[in-house]
Structures are given as structure tokens and as C-alpha cells.
Amino acid sequence: MSFTSEQISNLVRQVGITRDSELNCNECLHHVAEFAECELTGRQVTEALEAVRHHLTLCIECKEEYDELLKVLRALDDSSPAAS
Ligand SMILES: [Zn+2]
């Protein structure tokens, strides 16, 4: 059984895509503030932020960071005067 180089590069690309969709903790924490902001403002999350959401369901450490961040952002929001 043999593969053409085209088949192999397709396979490599697929594996690469799968790996790219899994964030590591650094990447997650890099985007987590943006994600928290989207959650708080009800803004639609981008594909990159969906990956953050996914990571947060898998990684308790990042989830804790995220929860802390949400707490801080909510506190800031409460203390700012409503301008409506
Ligand atoms: Zn993580």
C-alpha cells in the first residue's frame, strides 16, 4: 500500500487543522479577556473565541482564570454609572 505525495500532504493538513482547533493554555489565556467581554456584552463570538470556549470546557485551570476575570469585569460594570 502506498500513498501519493498529494494524499500525504492532505493528511498532514487535516492533522494540522485538528491540532490548530485545540488551543493550548497560553493561546486560551491570550484570548480569554476578549471572550469574557463577548459573553458579558452578548456580542457574537468569533471562531477563535469558540475555540476558547471549547478549551474552557476542558481545562479547569483556564476556567478558573476565566471565572476570576468575569468576576472582575462584572464588578467594574456594576461600579460604572449607567449611562442610559
Ligand atoms: Zn488551559
Side-chain angles (χ1 to χ4, degrees), residues 26-68:
N26 274 341
E27 288 166 330
C28 178
L29 293 176
H30 190 72
H31 292 290
V32 78
E34 201 183 339
F35 178 67
E37 215 185 305
C38 282
E39 286 285 286
L40 286 175
T41 59
R43 237 191 312 155
Q44 196 175 356
V45 298
T46 62
E47 211 171 300
L49 296 183
E50 280 295 340
V52 172
R53 190 208 297 278
H54 181 66
H55 184 90
L56 292 175
T57 64
L58 301 174
C59 178
I60 186 73
E61 283 169 41
C62 290
K63 180 70 164 63
E64 279 174 8
E65 291 282 336
Y66 171 68
D67 285 343
E68 284 300 309

